[in-house]
Protein backbone atom coordinates (compact mmCIF):
# COMPACT_ATOMS: atom_id res chain seq x y z
CA UNK A 1 0.00 0.00 0.00
CA UNK A 2 1.12 3.56 -0.69
CA UNK A 3 -1.17 5.30 1.81
CA UNK A 4 0.47 5.92 5.17
CA UNK A 5 -1.48 4.46 8.08
CA UNK A 6 -1.37 6.31 11.39
CA UNK A 7 -1.09 4.14 14.49
CA UNK A 8 -2.56 4.99 17.89
CA UNK A 9 -3.28 3.42 21.29
CA UNK A 10 -6.55 2.43 22.90
CA UNK A 11 -6.16 1.76 26.64
CA UNK A 12 -8.38 0.35 29.38
CA UNK A 13 -5.81 0.46 32.24
CA UNK A 14 -6.22 -3.24 33.15
CA UNK A 15 -5.70 -4.17 36.81
CA UNK A 16 -3.91 -7.51 37.34
CA UNK A 17 -3.81 -9.74 40.40
CA UNK A 18 -1.42 -8.29 42.97
CA UNK A 19 -1.83 -4.73 41.65
CA UNK A 20 -3.80 -1.73 42.78
CA UNK A 21 -5.71 0.54 40.43
CA UNK A 22 -3.04 3.20 40.91
CA UNK A 23 -0.43 0.79 39.54
CA UNK A 24 -2.50 0.32 36.38
CA UNK A 25 -3.00 4.06 35.93
CA UNK A 26 0.70 4.80 36.40
CA UNK A 27 1.51 2.13 33.80
CA UNK A 28 -0.78 3.92 31.37
CA UNK A 29 1.25 7.09 31.79
CA UNK A 30 4.50 5.17 31.30
CA UNK A 31 3.11 3.45 28.21
CA UNK A 32 2.06 6.77 26.71
CA UNK A 33 5.59 8.11 27.06
CA UNK A 34 6.98 4.98 25.40
CA UNK A 35 4.61 4.90 22.42
CA UNK A 36 5.20 8.58 21.73
CA UNK A 37 8.82 7.67 21.06
CA UNK A 38 7.65 4.80 18.80
CA UNK A 39 5.75 7.25 16.57
CA UNK A 40 2.17 6.70 17.74
CA UNK A 41 -0.23 9.55 16.99
CA UNK A 42 -2.88 9.32 19.72
CA UNK A 43 -3.45 7.79 23.14
CA UNK A 44 -7.09 7.22 24.00
CA UNK A 45 -8.57 5.83 27.22
CA UNK A 46 -11.89 4.04 27.50
CA UNK A 47 -14.77 4.58 29.91
CA UNK A 48 -15.75 1.71 32.23
CA UNK A 49 -17.75 1.77 35.44
CA UNK A 50 -18.14 -0.56 38.43
CA UNK A 51 -15.48 -2.87 36.94
CA UNK A 52 -12.51 -3.32 39.32
CA UNK A 53 -10.48 -5.00 36.55
CA UNK A 54 -10.45 -1.84 34.44
CA UNK A 55 -9.37 1.47 35.98
CA UNK A 56 -10.57 3.83 33.24
CA UNK A 57 -13.69 5.20 34.88
CA UNK A 58 -12.87 8.83 34.01
CA UNK A 59 -11.17 9.46 30.65
CA UNK A 60 -10.95 13.22 31.21
CA UNK A 61 -9.15 12.82 34.54
CA UNK A 62 -6.65 10.26 33.23
CA UNK A 63 -6.02 12.27 30.06
CA UNK A 64 -4.62 15.16 32.14
CA UNK A 65 -1.50 13.45 33.52
CA UNK A 66 -0.92 11.68 30.20
CA UNK A 67 -0.93 15.03 28.41
CA UNK A 68 1.40 16.47 31.06
CA UNK A 69 3.84 13.56 30.63
CA UNK A 70 4.04 13.67 26.83
CA UNK A 71 5.11 16.25 24.29
CA UNK A 72 3.07 16.02 21.10
CA UNK A 73 0.88 12.93 21.46
CA UNK A 74 -2.82 13.63 20.98
CA UNK A 75 -4.71 12.35 24.01
CA UNK A 76 -8.37 11.72 24.56
CA UNK A 77 -11.25 9.37 25.13
CA UNK A 78 -12.13 6.18 23.36
CA UNK A 79 -14.84 6.77 24.25
CA UNK A 80 -16.76 9.02 26.61
CA UNK A 81 -20.16 7.31 26.70
CA UNK A 82 -22.21 10.43 26.26
CA UNK A 83 -25.57 9.04 27.51
CA UNK A 84 -23.88 8.64 30.91
CA UNK A 85 -23.24 12.39 31.23
CA UNK A 86 -24.62 15.82 30.59
CA UNK A 87 -23.12 17.40 27.49
CA UNK A 88 -22.40 20.49 29.59
CA UNK A 89 -20.21 18.58 32.06
CA UNK A 90 -18.30 16.87 29.23
CA UNK A 91 -17.75 20.21 27.48
CA UNK A 92 -16.36 21.74 30.67
CA UNK A 93 -14.03 18.80 31.38
CA UNK A 94 -12.58 18.64 27.90
CA UNK A 95 -12.55 22.42 27.66
CA UNK A 96 -10.12 22.45 30.58
CA UNK A 97 -7.87 19.91 28.85
CA UNK A 98 -7.99 21.69 25.50
CA UNK A 99 -7.21 25.04 27.12
CA UNK A 100 -4.14 23.61 28.85
CA UNK A 101 -2.97 21.58 25.84
CA UNK A 102 -4.08 23.34 22.64
CA UNK A 103 -4.62 21.15 19.58
CA UNK A 104 -3.71 17.95 21.44
CA UNK A 105 -7.09 16.81 22.80
CA UNK A 106 -9.55 14.38 21.20
CA UNK A 107 -13.07 13.68 22.42
CA UNK A 108 -14.18 10.28 21.17
CA UNK A 109 -17.86 9.66 21.87
CA UNK A 110 -19.91 6.50 22.23
CA UNK A 111 -23.67 6.12 21.94
CA UNK A 112 -23.99 3.29 24.51
CA UNK A 113 -24.01 3.50 28.30
CA UNK A 114 -21.82 0.44 28.93
CA UNK A 115 -21.57 -1.25 32.30
CA UNK A 116 -24.52 -2.38 34.37
CA UNK A 117 -28.01 -0.80 34.38
CA UNK A 118 -27.40 0.17 38.02
CA UNK A 119 -24.24 2.15 37.23
CA UNK A 120 -25.85 3.70 34.15
CA UNK A 121 -28.80 4.84 36.25
CA UNK A 122 -26.48 6.66 38.63
CA UNK A 123 -24.46 8.30 35.87
CA UNK A 124 -27.06 9.25 33.28
CA UNK A 125 -28.14 12.72 32.29
CA UNK A 126 -31.23 13.31 34.47
CA UNK A 127 -33.01 14.90 31.50
CA UNK A 128 -32.54 11.68 29.51
CA UNK A 129 -31.82 13.51 26.27
CA UNK A 130 -31.39 11.37 23.20
CA UNK A 131 -27.97 11.17 21.57
CA UNK A 132 -28.84 13.56 18.72
CA UNK A 133 -29.79 16.24 21.24
CA UNK A 134 -26.70 15.61 23.35
CA UNK A 135 -24.37 15.80 20.35
CA UNK A 136 -25.96 19.03 19.14
CA UNK A 137 -25.68 20.50 22.63
CA UNK A 138 -22.05 19.44 22.96
CA UNK A 139 -21.17 20.99 19.62
CA UNK A 140 -23.00 24.13 20.65
CA UNK A 141 -20.92 24.50 23.80
CA UNK A 142 -17.74 24.28 21.75
CA UNK A 143 -19.14 26.87 19.36
CA UNK A 144 -19.84 29.69 21.82
CA UNK A 145 -22.66 28.50 24.02
CA UNK A 146 -26.09 26.89 24.10
CA UNK A 147 -29.34 28.50 25.22
CA UNK A 148 -27.52 31.27 27.05
CA UNK A 149 -25.13 28.92 28.87
CA UNK A 150 -21.42 28.84 28.15
CA UNK A 151 -19.09 25.94 29.00
CA UNK A 152 -16.06 27.58 30.56
CA UNK A 153 -13.18 27.55 29.85
CA UNK A 154 -13.75 27.99 26.13
CA UNK A 155 -10.59 26.68 24.43
CA UNK A 156 -9.26 28.51 21.41
CA UNK A 157 -8.97 25.13 19.66
CA UNK A 158 -11.83 22.86 20.77
CA UNK A 159 -11.20 19.14 21.18
CA UNK A 160 -11.67 17.09 18.03
CA UNK A 161 -14.97 15.19 18.20
CA UNK A 162 -15.07 11.56 17.00
CA UNK A 163 -17.62 8.78 17.10
CA UNK A 164 -16.67 5.26 18.21
CA UNK A 165 -18.98 2.39 17.29
CA UNK A 166 -19.23 -1.25 16.30
CA UNK A 167 -21.86 -1.39 13.55
CA UNK A 168 -22.67 -0.12 10.09
CA UNK A 169 -25.36 2.01 11.74
CA UNK A 170 -22.84 3.85 13.91
CA UNK A 171 -20.58 4.34 10.88
CA UNK A 172 -23.39 5.93 8.86
CA UNK A 173 -24.38 8.07 11.85
CA UNK A 174 -20.82 9.42 12.13
CA UNK A 175 -20.69 10.06 8.38
CA UNK A 176 -23.96 12.00 8.28
CA UNK A 177 -22.78 14.20 11.15
CA UNK A 178 -19.39 14.87 9.56
CA UNK A 179 -17.39 13.17 12.31
CA UNK A 180 -14.26 11.02 12.10
CA UNK A 181 -15.12 7.43 12.98
CA UNK A 182 -13.54 4.45 14.77
CA UNK A 183 -14.92 0.96 14.22
CA UNK A 184 -14.39 -1.25 17.29
CA UNK A 185 -13.10 -4.47 15.71
CA UNK A 186 -11.74 -5.19 19.20
CA UNK A 187 -15.35 -5.72 20.29
CA UNK A 188 -17.05 -6.96 17.11
CA UNK A 189 -14.62 -8.64 14.74
CA UNK A 190 -15.36 -9.05 11.07
CA UNK A 191 -17.42 -5.95 10.26
CA UNK A 192 -14.74 -3.35 9.65
CA UNK A 193 -14.65 -3.39 5.82
CA UNK A 194 -18.43 -2.99 5.55
CA UNK A 195 -18.61 -0.31 8.25
CA UNK A 196 -15.78 1.78 6.85
CA UNK A 197 -17.10 1.50 3.31
CA UNK A 198 -20.56 2.62 4.45
CA UNK A 199 -18.96 5.49 6.36
CA UNK A 200 -17.08 6.77 3.32
CA UNK A 201 -20.13 6.51 1.06
CA UNK A 202 -22.40 8.37 3.48
CA UNK A 203 -19.92 11.04 4.61
CA UNK A 204 -21.08 14.66 4.60
CA UNK A 205 -18.46 17.35 5.25
CA UNK A 206 -18.83 19.40 8.41
CA UNK A 207 -17.25 22.66 9.52
CA UNK A 208 -14.37 20.90 11.25
CA UNK A 209 -14.14 17.74 9.13
CA UNK A 210 -14.02 18.25 5.39
CA UNK A 211 -12.89 14.73 4.46
CA UNK A 212 -13.83 11.32 5.89
CA UNK A 213 -11.41 9.83 8.38
CA UNK A 214 -11.99 6.16 9.13
CA UNK A 215 -10.15 4.22 11.82
CA UNK A 216 -10.29 0.70 13.25
CA UNK A 217 -9.55 -0.37 16.83
CA UNK A 218 -8.06 -3.88 17.11
CA UNK A 219 -6.60 -6.09 19.82
CA UNK A 220 -2.98 -7.00 19.16
CA UNK A 221 -0.39 -8.90 21.18
CA UNK A 222 2.98 -9.34 19.49
CA UNK A 223 5.78 -11.20 21.22
CA UNK A 224 8.98 -12.99 20.32
CA UNK A 225 7.11 -16.27 19.75
CA UNK A 226 3.57 -17.30 18.86
CA UNK A 227 3.37 -19.31 22.07
CA UNK A 228 4.29 -16.42 24.40
CA UNK A 229 1.93 -14.05 22.59
CA UNK A 230 -0.91 -16.55 23.01
CA UNK A 231 -0.21 -16.99 26.73
CA UNK A 232 -0.18 -13.25 27.25
CA UNK A 233 -3.41 -12.69 25.32
CA UNK A 234 -5.21 -15.53 27.08
CA UNK A 235 -4.82 -13.91 30.51
CA UNK A 236 -7.22 -11.08 29.72
CA UNK A 237 -9.79 -13.41 28.16
CA UNK A 238 -9.55 -15.74 31.16
CA UNK A 239 -10.21 -12.67 33.29
CA UNK A 240 -13.39 -12.01 31.30
CA UNK A 241 -14.46 -15.61 31.93
CA UNK A 242 -13.88 -15.20 35.66
CA UNK A 243 -15.87 -11.96 35.76
CA UNK A 244 -18.77 -13.58 33.88
CA UNK A 245 -18.91 -16.88 35.76
CA UNK A 246 -17.14 -16.67 39.13
CA UNK A 247 -16.72 -13.13 40.46
CA UNK A 248 -17.87 -9.98 38.65
CA UNK A 249 -15.63 -7.95 40.97
CA UNK A 250 -12.48 -9.93 40.17
CA UNK A 251 -9.34 -8.27 38.90
CA UNK A 252 -7.42 -9.95 36.07
CA UNK A 253 -5.42 -13.17 36.56
CA UNK A 254 -1.66 -13.42 36.22
CA UNK A 255 0.06 -15.20 33.36
CA UNK A 256 0.88 -18.07 35.74
CA UNK A 257 -2.76 -18.45 36.85
CA UNK A 258 -3.89 -18.60 33.26
CA UNK A 259 -1.24 -21.16 32.30
CA UNK A 260 -2.36 -23.40 35.17
CA UNK A 261 -6.05 -23.24 34.26
CA UNK A 262 -7.58 -26.04 32.19
CA UNK A 263 -10.19 -24.48 29.93
CA UNK A 264 -13.46 -26.34 29.45
CA UNK A 265 -14.76 -26.78 25.91
CA UNK A 266 -17.16 -23.87 26.43
CA UNK A 267 -14.39 -21.67 27.79
CA UNK A 268 -12.10 -22.65 24.92
CA UNK A 269 -14.79 -21.63 22.43
CA UNK A 270 -15.11 -18.25 24.13
CA UNK A 271 -11.33 -17.88 24.17
CA UNK A 272 -11.09 -18.58 20.45
CA UNK A 273 -13.98 -16.22 19.65
CA UNK A 274 -12.16 -13.37 21.40
CA UNK A 275 -8.62 -14.04 20.15
CA UNK A 276 -8.88 -15.52 16.65
CA UNK A 277 -10.33 -12.40 14.92
CA UNK A 278 -7.55 -10.28 16.45
CA UNK A 279 -3.78 -10.13 15.90
CA UNK A 280 -1.81 -12.35 18.27
CA UNK A 281 1.56 -13.93 17.61
CA UNK A 282 5.14 -13.28 16.60
CA UNK A 283 5.92 -10.45 14.15
CA UNK A 284 6.18 -13.02 11.34
CA UNK A 285 2.68 -14.28 12.10
CA UNK A 286 1.00 -10.94 12.75
CA UNK A 287 2.51 -8.93 9.87
CA UNK A 288 0.82 -10.72 6.94
CA UNK A 289 -2.54 -10.97 8.74
CA UNK A 290 -2.52 -7.31 9.68
CA UNK A 291 -1.42 -6.30 6.19
CA UNK A 292 -4.31 -8.24 4.65
CA UNK A 293 -6.75 -6.69 7.14
CA UNK A 294 -5.55 -3.16 6.37
CA UNK A 295 -5.73 -3.77 2.63
CA UNK A 296 -9.33 -4.98 2.95
CA UNK A 297 -10.66 -2.40 5.41
CA UNK A 298 -8.51 0.53 4.17
CA UNK A 299 -8.44 2.46 7.46
CA UNK A 300 -6.74 5.83 7.70
CA UNK A 301 -5.70 4.99 11.24
CA UNK A 302 -5.25 1.93 13.41
CA UNK A 303 -5.95 1.97 17.16
CA UNK A 304 -4.28 -0.85 19.08
CA UNK A 305 -5.49 -2.33 22.37
CA UNK A 306 -2.96 -4.56 24.16
CA UNK A 307 -4.06 -5.98 27.52
CA UNK A 308 -1.39 -8.29 28.95
CA UNK A 309 -0.11 -8.88 32.52
CA UNK A 310 3.56 -8.23 31.73
CA UNK A 311 4.08 -4.48 31.31
CA UNK A 312 7.47 -4.80 29.60
CA UNK A 313 5.96 -7.29 27.15
CA UNK A 314 3.12 -4.82 26.56
CA UNK A 315 5.54 -2.04 25.68
CA UNK A 316 7.49 -4.36 23.36
CA UNK A 317 4.26 -5.41 21.66
CA UNK A 318 3.47 -1.79 20.80
CA UNK A 319 7.00 -1.37 19.49
CA UNK A 320 6.63 -4.45 17.29
CA UNK A 321 3.28 -3.16 15.99
CA UNK A 322 4.74 0.22 15.06
CA UNK A 323 7.38 -1.48 12.94
CA UNK A 324 4.84 -3.77 11.29
CA UNK A 325 2.47 -0.93 10.39
CA UNK A 326 5.37 1.17 9.07
CA UNK A 327 6.16 -1.63 6.63
CA UNK A 328 2.60 -2.07 5.33
Amino acid sequence: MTQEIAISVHDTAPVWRGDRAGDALRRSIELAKAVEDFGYRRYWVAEHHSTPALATSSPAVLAGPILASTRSLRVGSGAVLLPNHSAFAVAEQFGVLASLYPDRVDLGLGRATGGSPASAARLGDPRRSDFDQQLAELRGFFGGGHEGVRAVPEPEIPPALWLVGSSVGSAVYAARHGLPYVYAHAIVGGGAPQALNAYRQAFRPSERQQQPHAAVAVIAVVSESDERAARLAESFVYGQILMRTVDPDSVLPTEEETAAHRFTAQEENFLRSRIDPQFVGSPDRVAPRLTAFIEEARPDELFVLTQVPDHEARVRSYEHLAKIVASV
Side-chain angles (χ1 to χ4, degrees):
M1 293 182 65
T2 57
Q3 180 184 2
E4 181 180 352
I5 305 295
I7 186 167
S8 296
V9 172
H10 184 207
D11 183 18
T12 59
V15 183
W16 304 94
R17 190 92 65 210
D19 286 341
R20 298 181 183 273
D23 300 320
L25 295 169
R26 282 184 284 273
R27 281 195 297 266
S28 291
I29 297 170
E30 291 304 311
L31 179 60
K33 292 190 287 188
V35 298
E36 183 172 49
D37 291 337
F38 299 155
Y40 282 71
R41 178 178 291 180
R42 306 176 204 276
Y43 196 106
W44 283 10
V45 293
E47 178 184 335
H48 293 92
H49 298 286
S50 196
T51 307
L54 303 172
T56 48
S57 59
S58 181
V61 174
L62 181 53
I66 293 175
L67 283 160
S69 301
T70 53
R71 304 176 302 277
S72 59
L73 202 65
R74 293 193 66 94
V75 180
S77 56
V80 163
L81 303 177
L82 193 54
N84 286 341
H85 312 282
S86 76
F88 183 51
V90 173
E92 288 184 322
Q93 292 163 6
F94 280 80
V96 170
L97 294 172
S99 297
L100 286 169
Y101 303 98
D103 205 21
R104 287 187 58 200
V105 177
D106 294 329
L107 175 47
L109 302 169
R111 299 191 297 172
T113 58
S116 68
S119 62
R122 286 163 173 76
L123 285 162
D125 185 341
R127 295 169 301 161
R128 297 291 185 243
S129 303
D130 66 27
F131 191 83
D132 283 348
Q133 292 174 319
Q134 285 188 295
L135 179 59
E137 188 175 357
L138 185 63
R139 281 178 147 168
F141 285 129
F142 288 126
H146 184 80
E147 296 182 352
V149 178
R150 296 168 64 179
V152 178
E154 297 171 318
E156 185 175 344
I157 303 175
L161 299 184
W162 294 60
L163 188 73
V164 181
S166 57
S167 67
V168 169
S170 64
V172 171
Y173 185 94
R176 290 176 176 170
H177 286 80
L179 295 170
Y181 176 69
V182 184
Y183 176 81
H185 177 89
I187 297 174
V188 180
Q194 296 80 7
L196 268 57
N197 184 57
Y199 168 75
R200 292 189 179 96
Q201 290 183 348
F203 185 79
R204 299 173 184 171
S206 62
E207 182 179 353
R208 296 195 63 196
Q209 190 70 35
Q210 295 298 308
Q211 300 294 329
H213 187 89
V216 177
V218 304
I219 293 171
V221 179
V222 186
S223 191
E224 289 70 23
S225 70
D226 293 342
E227 294 76 17
R228 179 77 201 289
R231 289 199 306 271
L232 289 166
E234 287 170 1
S235 290
F236 185 81
V237 183
Y238 180 38
Q240 291 181 305
I241 292 171
L242 292 175
M243 286 186 284
R244 292 173 184 226
T245 62
V246 177
D247 180 7
D249 294 327
S250 174
V251 294
L252 298 166
T254 64
E255 187 177 351
E256 292 74 21
E257 282 182 76
T258 305
H261 180 70
R262 295 297 173 259
F263 290 89
T264 66
Q266 186 177 10
E267 290 172 343
E268 183 67 29
N269 288 336
F270 179 77
L271 187 75
R272 297 272 57 86
S273 73
R274 295 298 296 146
I275 291 179
D276 289 354
Q278 307 302 328
F279 304 91
V280 176
S282 65
D284 288 343
R285 176 179 174 82
V286 169
R289 293 190 64 239
L290 190 60
T291 298
F293 176 80
I294 289 172
E295 289 177 346
E296 184 181 12
R298 298 183 297 113
D300 301 302
E301 190 163 351
L302 190 73
F303 283 82
V304 180
L305 173 62
T306 302
Q307 302 166 119
V308 298
D310 183 330
H311 182 63
E312 291 183 1
R314 188 184 187 200
V315 173
R316 287 196 301 272
S317 180
Y318 278 108
E319 186 175 14
H320 286 309
L321 256 295
K323 293 176 181 176
I324 290 170
V325 171
S327 68
V328 171

